[in-house]
Amino acid sequence: APELADGAKCRLLRHKAFLFWRYPASSLAGERQDALSVGRETIDGDRMFGLVDASDNEIARPDRDAKWHNVPRIRTRLTNDRELEVAVPGGHWLRAPG
């Protein structure tokens, strides 16, 4: 098996993928990609951010709490500078507050 720079072994698989998606913010909609950079544990740029309720520091969990059910409709993407942008359905892209 081929060896990675850190000495880890990897297997080469022969599969075709037709669509790649990356999700820059956990629990929010992602962005379609032509290609992805895949590391040992994650996809580059995937789930770098999360959504938190500033009033109580609760992390968004759409599958567990009704107040978060519409969160997956918010689209996300990364700029070339790896800044997060968001858009609500029918809305324009805006830089996410940091």
Side-chain angles (χ1 to χ4, degrees), residues 3 5 8 11 17-18 25-27 40 43 49 51-53 57-59 61 69 75 81 84 92:
E3 196 167 300
R11 287 189 312 159
F18 297 100
S26 183
S27 299
R40 289 185 67 196
I43 294 169
F49 301 92
L51 184 63
V52 176
D53 184 336
N57 291 324
E58 180 184 1
I59 298 170
R61 291 196 170 97
H69 284 262
R75 296 178 297 149
D81 296 327
L84 181 66
H92 299 285

Side-chain angles (χ1 to χ4, degrees), residues 47 65 85:
R47 292 173 175 81
D65 192 342
E85 292 183 334

Side-chain angles (χ1 to χ4, degrees):
E3 196 167 300
L4 301 176
D6 64 1
K9 301 282 185 187
C10 68
R11 287 189 312 159
L12 297 177
L13 303 175
R14 294 181 186 182
H15 295 282
K16 292 183 180 180
F18 297 100
L19 294 174
F20 296 109
W21 287 85
R22 171 173 71 184
Y23 298 87
S26 183
S27 299
L28 281 68
E31 60 182 340
R32 189 170 157 184
Q33 299 285 293
D34 292 328
L36 295 171
S37 176
V38 179
R40 289 185 67 196
E41 296 182 16
T42 188
I43 294 169
D44 184 44
D46 195 58
R47 292 173 175 81
M48 293 175 51
F49 301 92
L51 184 63
V52 176
D53 184 336
S55 68
D56 60 8
N57 291 324
E58 180 184 1
I59 298 170
R61 291 196 170 97
D63 59 329
R64 296 185 188 173
D65 192 342
K67 82 175 187 179
W68 299 110
H69 284 262
N70 287 325
V71 165
R73 298 180 66 212
I74 300 170
R75 296 178 297 149
T76 61
R77 68 182 182 189
L78 290 179
T79 67
N80 290 335
D81 296 327
R82 300 178 67 82
E83 299 289 330
L84 181 66
E85 292 183 334
V86 297
V88 296
H92 299 285
W93 289 102
L94 302 169
R95 182 155 291 186

